[in-house]
Amino acid sequence: MLDAPAKRQAIRPLPAAVVDRIAAGEVVSRPASVVKELVENALDAGASRITIAIEAGGRESIRIVDDGSGIPPDELPLAFTQHATSKVRDDAELERVATLGFRGEALASIGSVSRCRIVSRTPDDEAFAIACDGGDLGTVQPAAGNVGTTVEAGDLFFNTPARRKFLKAAAAESAQVTDVVHRLAIPRSDVAFRYERDGKVVFDWPATSDPTERLVAAWPGDLRDRPIVVDARDGEWQLRGIVARPEHAATSARYHHFFVNGRSVQDRSVQHALREAFRGLAEPGRQPAAVLMLDVPPGEVDVNVHPAKSEVRFRQASRVWSLVNATVREALLGQDLAPKARPTPVDPPPLPEPRPDVRETLADYFKQSLQEEQKSLLDVAETPVETEASEPASPAPPSRVMQLHNSYLVVEGDDGMEIIDQHALHERVLYEELLARVRRGPLESQRLLVPAIVEVSEAEADRLEEVGPLLAKLGIEAERFGPDAVAVQAFPTLVAIRRASTDPGEFVAEALRRSPGDGDESAIHEILDLMACKAAVKAGDPLTSAEVEVLVAKRHLVPRGSNCPHGRPTTLRLTIDDLEKQFKRRGF
């Protein structure tokens, strides 16, 4: 039996207190939200020093003190009024917001769900105070205080028990507050920040003229090793910041911070541009660490798209992607990215047996001159896609080089030694050569006397229709051979010569199993990665002295030579200083 319909109630306006608490739910969801809004107000007021103090994760007490311009006594009641603000006056100003706050909601929302008190003083007045207890506004009273504003919010959500019940433990809420304070302080090196938690000073950062000093504070100690500075300008747009070295890429994006005109925002397009800039330098699936600050004219970005102001909309989104990607790539390519070796005494793993075909295929490869290789790679630098690549320098032969365990190449340098993974380095050299040739036109291929037939899943066979034209560009001719098989008719000459053991059918099957990526460019990189891996020398392949020297010399001709296409390092560096410390000669 159906329930009787509820009796209709009349439409009527909500009480002001209810409206304020509903609005507060969008603006103030936890103590960290309160801290964010109040510190943003302090920055907008021109503060040069801000102190943040919390108790019990911010649930019991939040106190923000600044030395900004202050609030005149006659405007103090308006501070707790919904949609009252000094930052936006009309539609035109809303289109070019240059402040962190602009909606006039923060203090009204905070006052409606806490016991809040403001003490403020302008340079021209004495200090005055006003309180707001769960939305009940008090009167303006004389007080004692310096120029600036102090806001205290206590007993957060005392009148909304459901919201208070969902707050996490004090430690978890404190961690959220700490993250917010970091994001607010990082781009403002001109402002001193002091942060206290339960009576203890967490940090006290003075104002500094060196932005990099403040930026690295966003990262734990191990990421601060030799940060790479980025700085580029595109007309009125400027991108500044730092990126961590590829070996510090993490499993999550927690160390990626992006600011637009000083506002911390989240933008998937920027994260994608950053990952693409690190392609081939960091391991797949790992997220680069970066602190990037983009300054654009206020009219180029819409900040009024999210209640928490954590997202923005760019009028030229593709320009943002290109600026981030090109700037970071250029900064990376200008660095020696070989990580320092950290020797630890371990038993080496057993090495695989050499393959019988290696001598012949290696001989074919090393017959090619360094001059031909350099010309191919210089062609890459002339293409629009790789304009940021610096011109490869002519290689200088190493003073001494030897092969170790048929897998590693040891090179003597001026200040120590370098240990090279021969497979990883050869992968990078082949990948760049293949990429250069693809950008000049389709790879040269050779017809197979007998088509290579390989079984695949029906879904993978269906995918051939989608990626077939791309495979053809890479010198692979393949066609469907029944519902769950593929026939390979032609294969790239370069790969076939360099690694005779590469099975064309299995190669195409693996290429179909891999995701084609986001568009042709990503798919090309994916398949070229696979080609280079299959064709490169392997661990356990013996090389002659001449072959070793040629391979080592080739690393100076390729961009991103410090890493293989999959992001693994090709080279580790061990300095004389490192050796002396290991042998307890000094510094131990």
Side-chain angles (χ1 to χ4, degrees):
M1 182 176 178
L2 295 176
D3 294 336
K7 183 179 179 181
R8 181 187 179 279
Q9 296 187 12
I11 298 174
R12 56 179 178 268
L14 286 170
V18 177
V19 171
D20 289 345
R21 289 176 193 171
I22 292 174
E26 295 182 351
V27 179
V28 181
S29 59
R30 61 194 317 166
S33 306
V34 176
V35 172
K36 173 181 179 294
E37 298 292 344
L38 295 181
V39 175
E40 285 183 347
N41 281 348
L43 291 170
D44 286 341
S48 63
R49 181 169 183 81
I50 300 173
T51 298
I52 304 102
I54 65 170
E55 299 285 342
R59 291 187 297 182
E60 299 306 322
S61 174
I62 295 172
R63 188 170 185 263
I64 311 295
V65 182
D66 71 64
D67 62 353
S69 58
I71 305 171
D74 59 329
E75 294 180 15
L76 279 175
L78 289 174
F80 286 113
T81 302
Q82 190 80 302
H83 305 305
T85 180
S86 62
K87 302 166 188 178
V88 173
R89 290 172 293 183
D90 52 36
D91 286 346
E93 290 190 353
L94 189 61
E95 293 295 319
R96 52 177 190 276
V97 174
T99 54
L100 296 173
F102 56 90
R103 293 196 179 107
E105 296 177 322
L107 280 171
S109 297
I110 294 167
S112 69
V113 294
S114 71
R115 307 186 195 278
C116 190
R117 183 172 183 263
I118 299 176
V119 178
S120 193
R121 178 183 174 184
T122 68
D124 302 326
D125 291 301
E126 296 299 319
F128 287 85
I130 189 171
C132 187
D133 193 340
D136 294 333
L137 190 63
T139 59
V140 177
Q141 302 286 338
N146 298 322
V147 172
T149 302
T150 298
V151 182
E152 296 175 325
D155 206 4
L156 191 61
F157 302 128
F158 77 95
N159 55 352
T160 53
R163 177 65 58 84
R164 189 175 178 90
K165 182 177 66 175
F166 281 97
L167 291 179
K168 295 182 178 179
E173 295 295 343
S174 291
Q176 292 289 331
V177 173
T178 302
D179 181 65
V180 163
V181 175
H182 275 157
R183 290 178 183 271
L184 290 163
I186 286 165
R188 295 300 303 268
S189 58
D190 59 321
V191 179
F193 277 83
R194 180 184 176 91
Y195 174 43
E196 301 174 4
R197 189 171 58 208
D198 296 322
K200 297 180 180 179
V201 177
V202 179
F203 62 76
D204 192 351
W205 293 339
T208 174
S209 58
D210 180 10
T212 303
E213 182 182 331
R214 179 67 62 84
L215 296 182
V216 296
W219 294 337
D222 57 335
L223 267 68
R224 301 177 189 177
D225 177 34
R226 298 173 295 156
I228 300 168
V229 176
V230 298
D231 193 347
R233 184 176 289 277
D234 179 10
E236 294 183 282
W237 293 39
Q238 184 178 18
L239 181 69
R240 299 171 292 125
I242 55 174
V243 294
R245 307 182 79 79
E247 64 262 30
H248 296 310
T251 55
S252 71
R254 62 177 301 188
Y255 300 124
H256 169 221
H257 303 277
F258 180 52
F259 302 89
V260 178
N261 294 343
R263 185 191 307 278
S264 176
V265 299
Q266 299 172 357
D267 192 291
R268 291 184 180 179
S269 175
V270 169
Q271 289 182 345
H272 181 266
L274 187 63
R275 288 197 303 270
E276 285 299 301
F278 273 78
R279 175 187 282 274
L281 297 176
E283 295 179 25
R286 298 186 75 84
Q287 304 291 331
V291 183
L292 301 176
M293 300 184 295
L294 178 64
D295 295 317
V296 300
E300 289 290 332
V301 58
D302 182 3
V303 300
N304 193 24
V305 297
H306 191 278
K309 297 172 286 187
S310 60
E311 297 176 11
V312 297
R313 184 180 294 116
F314 293 102
R315 303 195 189 283
Q316 302 180 66
S318 60
R319 184 177 176 184
V320 178
W321 192 98
S322 299
L323 180 60
V324 171
N325 182 263
T327 302
V328 174
R329 281 180 69 84
E330 184 174 1
L332 290 170
L333 290 172
Q335 297 286 322
D336 177 3
L337 299 176
K340 287 186 176 180
R342 294 178 174 85
T344 348
V346 294
D347 294 329
L351 296 171
E353 292 295 323
R355 296 170 178 76
D357 65 301
V358 166
R359 301 291 346 138
E360 180 180 354
T361 56
L362 283 179
D364 288 331
Y365 169 64
F366 285 112
K367 284 177 184 176
Q368 300 183 41
S369 69
L370 285 176
Q371 289 76 20
E372 178 187 350
E373 190 76 35
Q374 186 171 25
K375 180 180 183 303
S376 297
L377 295 165
L378 285 172
D379 288 340
V380 179
E382 296 171 359
T383 66
V385 181
E386 297 287 344
T387 53
E388 71 276 27
S390 56
E391 181 174 314
S394 298
S399 55
R400 294 183 190 175
V401 58
M402 62 175 288
Q403 188 183 32
L404 185 67
H405 292 294
N406 290 340
S407 298
Y408 300 99
L409 312 180
V410 181
V411 183
E412 181 187 58
D414 293 337
D415 63 345
M417 68 176 68
E418 293 178 321
I419 305 168
I420 298 171
D421 182 326
Q422 66 185 35
H423 172 70
L425 176 58
H426 196 189
E427 261 192 296
R428 171 56 73 183
V429 170
L430 287 179
Y431 172 85
E432 296 296 341
E433 182 187 55
L434 288 165
L435 184 62
R437 296 194 181 192
V438 166
R439 285 174 175 158
R440 294 199 299 267
L443 290 182
E444 180 184 351
S445 64
Q446 65 181 33
R447 302 287 301 182
L448 303 181
L449 293 177
V450 178
I453 312 296
V454 62
E455 292 185 359
V456 295
S457 70
E458 190 170 348
E460 291 164 351
D462 291 340
R463 190 177 300 166
L464 183 61
E465 182 177 351
E466 178 186 350
V467 301
L470 175 62
L471 293 177
K473 188 175 180 179
L474 299 177
I476 300 172
E477 293 182 23
E479 58 187 24
R480 192 160 186 162
F481 194 77
D484 53 3
V486 169
V488 182
Q489 305 284 358
F491 202 63
T493 307
L494 188 65
V495 178
I497 289 176
R498 291 188 174 171
R499 182 59 62 173
S501 62
T502 300
D503 182 277
E506 290 301 326
F507 180 91
V508 171
E510 187 169 349
L512 291 175
R513 282 194 292 271
R514 295 193 180 197
S515 170
D518 302 324
D520 281 357
E521 187 69 19
S522 294
I524 286 174
H525 286 296
E526 187 77 22
I527 298 176
L528 290 184
D529 284 354
L530 182 59
M531 282 185 175
C533 183
K534 296 290 186 183
V537 297
K538 301 296 188 292
D541 290 349
L543 306 178
T544 67
S545 297
E547 291 167 346
V548 166
E549 291 192 5
V550 170
L551 181 57
V552 170
K554 281 179 179 288
R555 68 182 171 146
H556 298 288
L557 301 176
V558 296
R560 302 179 294 274
S562 61
N563 298 78
C564 79
H566 303 99
R568 291 195 304 109
T570 63
T571 307
L572 295 178
R573 184 166 290 111
L574 193 61
T575 66
I576 293 295
D577 185 60
D578 295 328
L579 288 172
E580 290 184 343
K581 287 180 180 178
Q582 288 295 317
F583 284 106
K584 311 298 184 185
R585 286 182 175 270
R586 62 183 179 87
F588 56 89

